Amino acid sequence: MRLVTHNYLQSNVRGTEKGYPLIIEPSEVLLEESPMDKELLTKMLSKLEYYAVVAAVRQLAPFCTSKEIVLPEIPEELPSDIDSLEDSVLANLHTVLFEIHVIEGDLVC
């Protein structure tokens, strides 16, 4: 599961008080490089719940560090003008959203 996919998932279990964002408890994570499409990325960023992306990266960080997978730094908040983001920040966001794959683990609501 890519983090871009995780951003759209929520629990539909009846009685769940906090069904979004789901907490990630990874047991296997893979970094798979892919070409960046800047236009697609900037369009996606405007549709994401960015606070959930930041939370997901924080949840993955301890696991990735122990497996020597380097998660790039991303801003805590996005500027209102996404087109003003530097290419290096866009590259980091691309890595987080499209290149990090949670292969195994649990999603907890």
Side-chain angles (χ1 to χ4, degrees), residues 51-97:
Y51 77 93
V53 174
V54 173
V57 170
R58 286 187 186 137
Q59 293 161 15
L60 292 178
F63 180 83
C64 290
T65 301
S66 71
K67 301 295 181 183
E68 299 183 10
I69 297 173
V70 178
L71 289 174
E73 290 189 29
I74 60 172
E76 289 293 316
E77 295 180 3
L78 289 177
S80 56
D81 180 18
I82 292 173
D83 292 328
S84 69
L85 287 170
E86 295 179 14
D87 286 345
S88 61
V89 174
L90 287 173
N92 289 351
L93 289 166
H94 169 78
T95 298
V96 165
L97 292 170

Side-chain angles (χ1 to χ4, degrees), residues 18-69:
K18 189 177 178 188
Y20 182 84
L22 296 171
I23 297 167
I24 303 172
E25 295 178 348
S27 56
E28 185 178 353
V29 175
L30 175 71
L31 175 64
E32 185 177 312
E33 292 185 17
S34 64
M36 183 174 85
D37 182 339
K38 187 175 177 178
E39 185 179 336
L40 171 67
L41 179 59
T42 54
K43 286 181 182 178
M44 290 294 299
L45 288 173
S46 65
K47 297 177 183 181
L48 295 175
E49 294 291 341
Y50 189 73
Y51 77 93
V53 174
V54 173
V57 170
R58 286 187 186 137
Q59 293 161 15
L60 292 178
F63 180 83
C64 290
T65 301
S66 71
K67 301 295 181 183
E68 299 183 10
I69 297 173

